[in-house]
Amino acid sequence: MGARVAVTRFAGKGEKPSVDTILTLVQRRCLRGFLLLAIVLVALAAPLGAGGQDSETRVLAVQLDNDINPVTQEYVENAVDRAEDEGFSAMVLVLDTPGGLGSSMRGIVKRFLASKVPVIVYVAPPGSSADSAGAVIAMAADIAAMAPQTNIGSSTPISLGGEDISKDLRRKIVNDAAAYVGELAREHDRNVVAARKMVTEAANYGARDAKAIGLVEVIAPTLPALLNRVDGMKTVPKGLVLDTAGAQIEDVEMSFWQRARDFLVDPNLIALMLSIGLIGIVVELWNPGLIFPGTVGAISLILGLYGLQVLPVSLAGLLLMALAAAFFVADAFVPTHGAITLAGAILFVLGALMLFDPAGEAYQVSLPVAVAIAGTLALLLGLALTRVVRAARNPAAVGTQELVGGEAVVRRGDLVSVNGELWRAHTADNSPLVSGTHVRVERVESDLRLVVGSPMPPNEEEAH
């Protein structure tokens, strides 16, 4: 069109354009058109590229190499909430656990079942395991996966003390746990028989066996390989389609505060904190005003009570430990020559061993730790009682009575100096006091005047 206009312009002037002129005009017009087209394409590509970057596939990888307890339960549940709120394509729980509390396990299972994003449990890295409660959590995942050289299973319930449960009670608890894990496996289209055997027979499966019998869906050596293999899979029963190939992985680990709280959820540490709290408070009661023992004792007691709040405790064990504390304190006021302290130490050991019975085998105070704490308490309180008894047998050495029998130096008039203090004094026979002489205090009168002996002869002063 532009070339035709140019030709017309030349023709109107009676001139005939050359071929080179026409080609030059055409090239210029084409170049302008290409530039305009390029600008339009760049403007369109910019928002498309930005939109593609915003919609990049992301996966939240939650690292958990700890036991299952209320702190780790909160950590996992918060991760699921974040995956939902921030629009992650999936959440992967990278799991390595020996098990833990049944109540915390069930809380995690319920959160997985209600999750709106696909949840993948990946037993990894190689050498890891998902035992006991960890195996049940894996059965609740939308996708169960394992790394090579890992294992899963051994979910048989045990008694509060750690030994096998017997007879009717064992049958009741085992059947309940087997039905629970079996139903989870059935709903996720996994091997129900194998899942139940993890409970009824304490069966444990390696990664290849678990994949072969349909207990897990995928074996993958690394997390990126796992995400590529599960891409496009449709979960059962939610029907979510995974879009994870080449996804950007965002790792999540427990925060410092969560690790600190998890550290405090240790039965042995809780027993130690309670004992330190008891010692500090008892010492402060015996020696009011020291401040430091009472402060340390109060802080330790609060930390110990936090652990008691997190873990399920036995009321009988708690009462035994409270009675032990009462015995330790009572021995300071009742002359039993340490018998009550010994009884308190025995009660402390029994209470510590029973304290966390409801939490299961993984949360028990070890016998050596309980005996060591009780022995230390008895020894410290025994030493303190010895000092108390020794102080009680010594005569009082306070007030004006400590002046009797001491020496005084006559200063001027009726003033004498005793231990750097000036007192009014007179002799028993009212003889005059000579300045600079040494006299002995015989008694203290009601008006706080001292009665001193007669001045010592010079030879006695020199001998003294």
Side-chain angles (χ1 to χ4, degrees), residues 112-363:
F112 280 7
L113 298 179
S115 174
K116 298 177 182 178
V117 300
V119 175
I120 303 172
V121 169
Y122 180 38
V123 184
S128 303
S129 64
D131 296 325
S132 191
V136 180
I137 290 174
M139 292 299 100
D142 296 308
I143 299 292
M146 300 176 69
Q149 304 176 54
T150 58
N151 61 282
I152 185 172
S154 300
S155 302
T156 302
I158 54 177
S159 72
L160 300 181
E163 62 275 3
D164 289 337
I165 306 171
S166 59
K167 297 182 180 179
D168 294 337
L169 180 59
R170 181 183 189 280
R171 185 163 54 249
K172 177 181 178 181
I173 296 177
V174 168
N175 288 341
D176 174 73
Y180 188 76
V181 71
E183 189 64 17
L184 290 174
R186 178 180 291 107
E187 289 297 313
H188 291 85
D189 199 19
R190 299 189 181 110
N191 191 324
V192 177
V193 174
R196 291 178 61 91
K197 283 184 177 180
M198 292 193 299
V199 174
T200 58
E201 301 178 10
N204 202 298
Y205 307 97
R208 296 183 184 276
D209 292 338
K211 174 65 168 61
I213 63 178
L215 199 61
V216 300
E217 286 76 38
V218 181
I219 296 179
T222 62
L223 182 54
L226 169 65
L227 297 180
N228 289 333
R229 292 184 185 181
V230 301
D231 182 63
M233 294 179 62
K234 188 175 183 180
T235 66
V236 177
K238 296 178 184 177
L240 303 173
V241 178
L242 291 166
D243 178 19
T244 56
Q248 178 185 352
I249 300 173
E250 184 170 338
D251 290 314
V252 175
E253 295 184 354
M254 295 181 68
S255 65
F256 172 79
W257 172 239
Q258 289 172 326
R259 290 189 180 277
R261 291 170 57 203
D262 181 68
F263 177 73
L264 293 175
V265 185
D266 183 332
N268 295 316
L269 184 62
I270 293 173
L272 181 61
M273 291 293 102
L274 292 176
S275 62
I276 293 176
L278 173 63
I279 292 175
I281 292 176
V282 169
V283 171
E284 188 68 30
L285 290 176
W286 284 350
N287 300 274
L290 292 181
I291 306 300
F292 181 74
T295 302
V296 173
I299 294 174
S300 301
L301 194 60
I302 292 173
L303 294 177
L305 291 176
Y306 170 78
L308 293 180
Q309 178 186 3
V310 173
L311 293 179
V313 298
S314 165
L315 181 59
L318 191 61
L319 290 177
L320 284 175
M321 293 190 70
L323 186 60
F327 276 19
F328 287 143
V329 175
D331 210 0
F333 306 98
V334 180
T336 61
H337 305 289
I340 294 183
T341 296
L342 180 60
I346 296 174
L347 290 177
F348 184 90
V349 172
L350 294 177
L353 295 179
M354 296 173 57
L355 186 59
F356 298 105
D357 269 354
E361 181 185 19
Y363 295 91

